[in-house]
Amino acid sequence: MANIATIEIDGKKYEFPLVKGSEDEVAIDIKALRSATGGVITLDPGYKNTGSCESAITFLDGEKGILRYRGYSIEELAEKADFLEVAYLLIFGELPSAEKLNKFHSDIKKHSVVDDDVKKILDAFPKSAHPMGVLSSLTSALTAFNPSSVNVESEEEMYNAIVRILGKFPILVAWTMRKKKGLPLYYGDSSLGYVENILKMMFKQPNEEKYEQNPILVNALDKLLILHADHEQNCSTSTVRIVGSSHAGLFASLSAGISALWGPLHGGANQAVLEMLEAIKEDGGDTKKYMAKAKDKNDPFRLMGFGHRVYKNFDPRAKIIKIAADEVLGDLGIEDPILDIAKGLEKEALEDSYFVDRKLYPNVDFYSGIIYRGMGIPTDMFTVMFALGRLPGWIAQWREMRLRKEPIGRPRQMYTGETERKFAPVNKR
Ligand code: ACO
């Protein structure tokens, strides 16, 4: 293939370099398009064809259903690695040695406290507040207690900021849930592994002498967090990168990412899936009725947990999660009719030409909520759990963006409004 793309506009030809990624993906480098053509831009709402950056963190091939973090397949990482190792891998590019991993964990533990004033902010929220709103606000509030901006030229400062947020974020997550459940806030147990500590912080009851770890839950949460840890330039990650590109701080960029993740078309889908499955159950379990609604263009209903912007054959994470859902519920001895409805819906959709033709398959969130529910996590906390998993990915992407000295993100637009018109004053009363 020639290394040049030619674009012809009004009979005039312009040449642009083609660039190749390490997996042979091809992109037209149009950095010089506007200046070369005297103002022509590309129009691509939703950035369906636009590469916003070069990145060495995550590779995915939506057609083949491949997802790799730093070259390692998601299947292998989910089976053999733990979440903290994966976090280190994503952020720093290589798997840590045992020594580096120990140091990473102990540095995180040193920062596993939040200022007491954060409790006051949490207390000011009504119990009805959505946990994602609370989490986003508390993450942003951390800037007030850690006001100095990170000098990204200093590896040490960068590292300190990273271990600080990895230490504090699980506390915010656990406190958000405890507040919702009316439980007293609890700081956790530094003798535990990262994921075990998260579970204890979330679930320890006030009168409980000793919190017994359930290895099934630890394993399931570890896996879920790994599967959610990064997903290249999705809506929330692009948000983190674009906010960070103005040199806003790490915590502010993460808080923006949390807000972006909240929506039901993105991370909020896991909550929406469960609510949908509950509604179908309440309505008598008639999956066919809901399939028809999903296909009816006059009905706004969508089959939540189905479809993905990039996966057009299957979502490799969904495959792993479906098996995990079966295992976790089986191991915990839970029989959940919701799981049967989900399986029924999936089977029907996979045989239905509407879904097949549009390449709509279950995504990662179709089954994750069922596991979270089995673990005793309230439905409106599901997206918070997603944020907890995505944290290392957001950090890795923010770090990469700053280290590569990317310019401020500032897209162009095609203006379709009124051309200039004269202001005619009206008589105000
Ligand atoms: N149910 C019914 N129809 C659907 C669904 C669905 N879940 N998803 C897409 N379609 C249809 C659209 O109506 C459209 O049909 P048309 O071509 O006849 O107009 C076609 O499939 C293409 O859909 P788009 O919305 O254009 O696809 P896009 O790539 O923009 O959206 C998205 C992807 C947002 C994930 C979409 O599939 C969706 O809304 N799914 C449900 C929400 C969801 O599960 N989100 C989680 C995504 S995973 C994650 O963020 C972790």
Side-chain angles (χ1 to χ4, degrees):
M1 189 196 284
N3 288 332
I4 299 288
T6 308
I7 298 179
E8 191 172 324
I9 303 169
D10 283 342
K12 200 165 169 213
K13 289 186 176 163
Y14 303 89
E15 291 189 337
F16 299 95
L18 286 180
V19 286
K20 256 194 181 186
S22 44
E23 294 282 349
D24 287 341
E25 326 95 286
V26 180
I28 308 170
D29 178 349
I30 53 141
K31 283 194 215 80
L33 178 68
R34 254 189 100 249
S35 56
T37 56
V40 175
I41 58 165
T42 55
L43 187 61
D44 186 19
Y47 312 120
K48 293 192 178 193
N49 306 281
T50 298
S52 59
C53 60
E54 291 181 35
S55 178
I57 301 170
T58 289
F59 172 72
L60 74 85
D61 182 327
E63 268 66 40
K64 296 195 186 125
I66 294 173
L67 173 61
R68 294 187 206 125
Y69 299 160
R70 302 281 189 185
Y72 296 98
S73 80
I74 192 66
E75 290 80 5
E76 222 181 345
L77 290 172
E79 194 193 326
K80 297 178 186 159
D82 69 36
F83 178 60
L84 216 51
E85 259 178 308
V86 171
Y88 189 99
L89 169 72
L90 282 167
I91 297 169
F92 300 111
E94 295 297 336
L95 282 167
S97 61
E99 195 186 334
K100 279 190 177 157
L101 187 60
N102 278 339
K103 177 171 173 0
F104 189 47
H105 193 193
S106 81
D107 290 336
I108 288 170
K109 282 182 196 168
K110 281 183 210 145
H111 293 287
S112 295
V113 285
V114 294
D115 197 286
D116 263 358
D117 284 341
V118 174
K119 285 186 188 160
K120 291 190 200 145
I121 300 174
L122 180 66
D123 271 340
F125 280 98
K127 244 183 141 187
S128 58
H130 192 283
M132 283 298 274
V134 176
L135 185 67
S136 165
S137 307
L138 293 182
T139 306
S140 182
L142 288 180
T143 49
F145 307 100
N146 304 268
S148 61
S149 61
V150 184
N151 171 13
V152 296
E153 306 293 330
S154 155
E155 271 206 33
E156 195 190 342
E157 278 198 33
M158 196 75 131
Y159 179 84
N160 286 340
I162 290 166
V163 290
R164 192 172 290 139
I165 190 65
L166 284 168
K168 294 178 193 308
F169 200 72
I171 299 174
L172 303 186
V173 166
W175 282 8
T176 300
M177 186 175 111
R178 293 183 80 86
K179 153 98 185 178
K180 192 94 195 155
K181 287 189 154 180
L183 290 170
L185 304 185
Y186 169 66
Y187 256 121
D189 180 342
S190 63
S191 70
L192 295 174
Y194 192 74
V195 171
E196 288 164 322
N197 188 35
I198 291 170
L199 283 169
K200 185 166 178 184
M201 280 197 291
M202 288 175 78
F203 290 113
K204 188 185 177 311
Q205 298 300 310
N207 311 327
E208 214 169 25
E209 243 330 84
K210 189 169 182 297
Y211 173 79
E212 288 293 343
Q213 290 287 342
N214 181 338
I216 299 164
L217 298 192
V218 177
N219 190 26
L221 184 57
D222 214 35
K223 205 172 265 192
L224 280 164
L225 297 179
I226 290 172
L227 293 176
H228 284 94
D230 195 47
H231 212 235
E232 52 119 299
Q233 308 311 315
N234 55 81
C235 177
S236 57
T237 302
S238 300
T239 301
V240 169
R241 282 184 91 122
I242 209 163
V243 172
S245 77
S246 75
H247 296 190
L250 174 60
F251 300 163
S253 307
L254 293 171
S255 163
I258 295 165
S259 297
L261 186 72
W262 190 355
L265 298 191
H266 190 16
N270 54 14
Q271 175 177 344
V273 169
L274 230 288
E275 286 166 355
M276 174 188 79
L277 295 173
E278 287 278 12
I280 297 175
K281 190 182 117 203
E282 291 302 309
D283 198 17
D286 184 357
T287 48
K288 292 207 167 42
K289 176 176 165 189
Y290 285 85
M291 288 288 289
K293 274 166 76 63
K295 294 190 284 181
D296 180 355
K297 290 290 165 201
N298 297 317
D299 190 324
F301 176 80
R302 278 192 166 197
L303 202 55
M304 298 314 290
F306 260 76
H308 197 276
R309 171 59 63 77
V310 285
Y311 291 123
K312 299 299 177 194
N313 270 319
F314 67 95
D315 178 340
R317 303 165 302 172
K319 269 194 165 177
I320 302 172
I321 280 197
K322 184 180 176 182
I323 298 168
D326 264 334
E327 282 171 5
V328 172
L329 298 195
D331 287 347
L332 294 174
I334 297 173
E335 278 181 27
D336 192 341
I338 290 287
L339 182 62
D340 297 331
I341 293 178
K343 283 184 177 169
L345 219 45
E346 179 184 349
K347 187 169 181 297
E348 281 172 43
L350 293 180
E351 289 166 0
D352 189 301
S353 61
Y354 174 95
F355 289 89
V356 175
D357 294 351
R358 288 170 180 74
K359 301 190 175 198
L360 301 170
Y361 297 88
N363 59 51
V364 65
D365 283 326
F366 194 63
Y367 285 103
S368 65
I370 293 171
I371 306 185
Y372 286 136
R373 185 170 128 116
M375 294 170 79
I377 296 174
T379 311
D380 60 5
M381 278 292 294
F382 292 176
T383 316
V384 165
M385 301 310 290
F386 187 157
L388 184 62
R390 186 53 56 88
L391 181 67
W394 286 333
I395 296 172
Q397 301 271 352
W398 172 85
R399 179 175 178 270
E400 180 182 73
M401 182 271 307
R402 292 303 310 268
L403 290 181
R404 289 184 180 214
K405 299 192 185 341
E406 280 179 17
I408 185 166
R410 202 302 186 188
R412 293 267 167 182
Q413 64 163 20
M414 179 61 69
Y415 177 68
T416 59
E418 299 285 346
T419 52
E420 188 178 17
R421 48 183 169 164
K422 285 273 174 266
F423 175 73
V426 288
N427 285 333
K428 294 178 191 139
R429 288 187 197 184

